[in-house]
Amino acid sequence: MRGDGISPAQIPGPPAEGGIEAIVAAGGLHNYQLRLHAEYGPVVRFPLPGADLAVSVADPVLLEATAKMNKRPEKLFEFLTPLQESGNLQTIPADEHVPWRKVMLSVLAGRPSHEAHFARFTELTAEMADRWAGLASPVELQKDLSELSLRMICEYALGSGLESEESAGRVVSAFEDLLTEYLGRLYQLETPGTEEERAARAEEALTYLRATVDQVIAAHRDRDGAVPDDADRSDLVAALAASGETPARIRDTVLMTLLAAHHTTGVAISWTLYLLARHPDVAKRVSDEVDVVLGDRAVPEYGDLKRMTYLDMVLREAMRLYPPGPYGARETTEELVLGDYTVPAGTTIFYPFWAVHMNPEYWPDPEVFDPDRFTPEASAGRPRLAYIPFGIGPRSCEGAGLAMVEAELVLSALLKRFDFELASDQSIQPIERFVLWAAEDIRMNLTPRA
């Protein structure tokens, strides 16, 4: 696309020096982006390690020009490369990504897949709620809910091939070992053990996870090693194997699915419960809706979710205020016009989800928690990219539909059973650790509901 706009050098932004120091001083890239756009406007040029030119866009109308871009900046995602054998799934070329994404969406976005796993998801949720009911001290929302979401996605991606509950637990612990080490390196966090011990533990975990996926793949094949024509298309591994993906690509896909779905769903539920605890009027309204839909049942059935329209609005508003993944990025492959500006090929286009969601032009009083922003009437007058918690375009999150099902299931079951009150003497500070965490978790007192 070619235009006669202003050159990238004239895009407003901070000095080129001290980029990483400014990001750290702001408390992370998400806060840094909020400050940049508040000071410089909807299009900002800023220094980003690993990018020759980075432009952040917080206007949903201008974002439309980038919506079909299918290239991610390789340097920003290279920290994930050691986890993958068949090429970094975050940055594979479009000709590989398009067919892979089609298979992923055929499973992750499909109702048959959601329904097939729903009963097991409710069992896992009920087990956690039973555990919570026996505690005298406050619960740590993010810790417990992230573990729950990891157990759910392990069951989803591997469940039909895991031999036992013990095997499922080992997968969870191995993935936690792996993630602790890699996120520790990425964010320079202090983690237990020497560098050699941590590296060995992570390598052992990665080897175990790959071997487990191989066992699951083998369980989907017949004696001749072929995938039956009637393979269950609600099963992620079966669908990938039936499509002809290599074992290495299937292993990588399972690992990336665990990574993407682990903390994101758990922190989305945590932030929602945090906001409900701070807004008892909203909490009562959504609990009343849950009571009406579920009656005397403790957990929902799949068909119940579409009837809990206010719960859906509450969750969406929580993800507007606290998007689990706080940003995304693409790379231009040709000249691109963004309003008055023209940027060259090779530019990193940054999607600051949080800054987009806090844009006062489209979200009046953006810091106010108001689920009624998501009524059909209110949503109809808003640009479609004003709300992008799962990203945009051909690299958006394939598991968005599944994540919403999981989150609404868990929220409805917990709100049916408990009232939530924030424990005293805690400061809730959002920080970016791959997802948008509360720095010291969110401690909550629970009161059983009659």
Side-chain angles (χ1 to χ4, degrees):
M1 181 182 294
R2 175 168 290 277
D4 299 319
I6 300 172
S7 73
Q10 296 171 284
I11 297 175
E17 304 80 29
I20 190 66
E21 291 82 3
I23 292 170
V24 172
L29 199 50
H30 59 296
N31 272 333
Y32 181 62
Q33 292 297 313
L34 284 176
R35 295 182 186 181
L36 281 183
H37 287 287
E39 182 173 354
Y40 295 104
V43 181
V44 180
R45 173 181 44 81
F46 72 107
L48 182 66
D52 294 330
L53 174 63
V55 176
S56 184
V57 184
D59 187 305
V61 175
L62 295 181
L63 281 175
E64 287 286 357
T66 75
K68 294 183 179 180
M69 291 168 55
N70 195 338
K71 179 175 173 55
R72 281 192 174 129
E74 294 182 5
K75 289 184 179 179
L76 292 185
F77 294 91
E78 65 184 359
F79 71 96
L80 293 170
T81 299
L83 298 180
Q84 297 170 82
E85 305 168 280
S86 63
N88 192 329
L89 286 171
Q90 300 299 317
T91 57
I92 56 173
D95 61 343
E96 291 183 57
H97 177 258
V98 170
W100 175 87
R101 178 179 172 86
K102 183 177 180 180
V103 175
M104 293 292 287
L105 287 173
S106 72
V107 181
L108 292 170
R111 174 170 177 158
S113 178
H114 301 166
E115 286 189 298
H117 297 275
F118 197 83
R120 182 56 180 150
F121 289 171
T122 60
E123 289 175 6
L124 292 170
T125 303
E127 289 170 7
M128 187 195 72
D130 288 343
R131 196 164 62 249
W132 279 6
L135 296 176
S137 56
V139 300
E140 295 177 301
L141 288 187
Q142 290 182 154
K143 174 180 174 293
D144 289 353
L145 288 166
S146 290
E147 181 180 343
L148 173 63
S149 62
L150 178 55
R151 286 188 176 274
M152 284 181 170
I153 200 62
C154 282
E155 290 282 346
Y156 185 90
L158 298 169
S160 61
L162 293 175
E163 297 175 354
S164 64
E165 183 71 21
E166 182 180 350
S167 297
R170 177 77 196 281
V171 168
V172 169
S173 62
F175 187 75
E176 288 285 17
D177 286 343
L178 187 67
L179 195 62
T180 297
E181 171 61 7
Y182 275 86
L183 292 187
R185 292 180 197 172
L186 180 63
Y187 295 104
Q188 300 178 351
L189 305 175
E190 291 187 14
T191 52
T194 66
E195 183 177 341
E196 292 77 13
E197 290 171 339
R198 294 194 305 269
R201 192 161 54 240
E203 186 60 32
E204 180 183 351
L206 181 57
T207 300
Y208 172 77
L209 289 168
R210 285 174 175 166
T212 300
V213 177
D214 282 341
Q215 293 172 8
V216 176
I217 295 172
H220 286 84
R221 298 186 184 276
D222 60 24
R223 277 186 246 175
D224 298 325
V227 179
D229 292 336
D230 61 350
D232 183 1
R233 292 306 189 268
S234 69
D235 186 305
L236 179 61
V237 173
L240 289 164
S243 72
E245 292 286 4
T246 65
R249 177 57 55 82
I250 297 172
R251 287 191 291 266
D252 291 345
T253 298
V254 170
L255 281 175
M256 286 301 101
T257 301
L258 297 182
L259 178 64
H262 174 16
H263 292 314
T264 47
T265 307
V267 297
I269 300 167
S270 300
W271 286 119
T272 304
L273 293 173
Y274 165 72
L275 288 163
L276 289 174
R278 293 184 57 199
H279 298 85
D281 54 332
V282 177
K284 183 179 186 310
R285 182 175 166 188
V286 72
S287 294
D288 287 347
E289 179 185 70
V290 170
D291 288 342
V292 169
V293 173
L294 299 191
D296 58 2
R297 289 178 289 126
V299 293
E301 297 174 354
Y302 182 77
D304 292 325
L305 298 186
K306 66 180 180 181
R307 299 170 58 201
M308 291 185 278
T309 55
Y310 190 62
L311 174 65
D312 181 77
M313 290 159 57
V314 166
L315 175 59
R316 291 178 187 276
E317 174 69 347
M319 290 195 296
R320 182 189 70 83
L321 285 167
Y322 297 102
Y327 47 78
R330 303 289 187 272
E331 183 177 310
T332 58
T333 56
E334 58 184 13
E335 192 176 81
L336 178 71
V337 175
L338 291 169
D340 293 332
Y341 307 108
T342 302
V343 297
T347 300
T348 295
I349 301 295
F350 208 77
Y351 297 156
F353 300 162
W354 214 1
V356 173
H357 291 178
M358 300 296 282
N359 187 324
E361 184 173 351
Y362 306 101
W363 304 100
D365 299 319
E367 296 183 0
V368 173
F369 176 57
D370 179 12
D372 285 324
R373 298 179 194 273
F374 288 90
T375 62
E377 296 77 16
S379 298
R382 198 176 294 131
R384 73 181 185 101
L385 298 183
Y387 180 68
I388 51 173
F390 297 106
I392 67 174
R395 296 272 180 169
S396 61
C397 176
E398 290 84 12
L402 177 64
M404 293 296 289
V405 166
E406 290 178 340
E408 290 178 5
L409 183 167
V410 174
L411 283 167
S412 60
L414 295 180
L415 292 171
K416 176 67 176 176
R417 191 158 177 179
F418 303 110
D419 287 324
F420 291 83
E421 180 184 14
L422 282 165
S424 58
D425 301 324
Q426 62 177 323
S427 175
I428 308 300
Q429 179 63 43
I431 60 168
E432 186 259 313
R433 289 287 183 272
F434 195 67
V435 295
L436 193 62
W437 285 95
E440 303 296 331
D441 213 313
I442 303 170
R443 292 181 293 110
M444 200 76 77
N445 294 316
L446 309 182
T447 302
R449 297 184 65 217

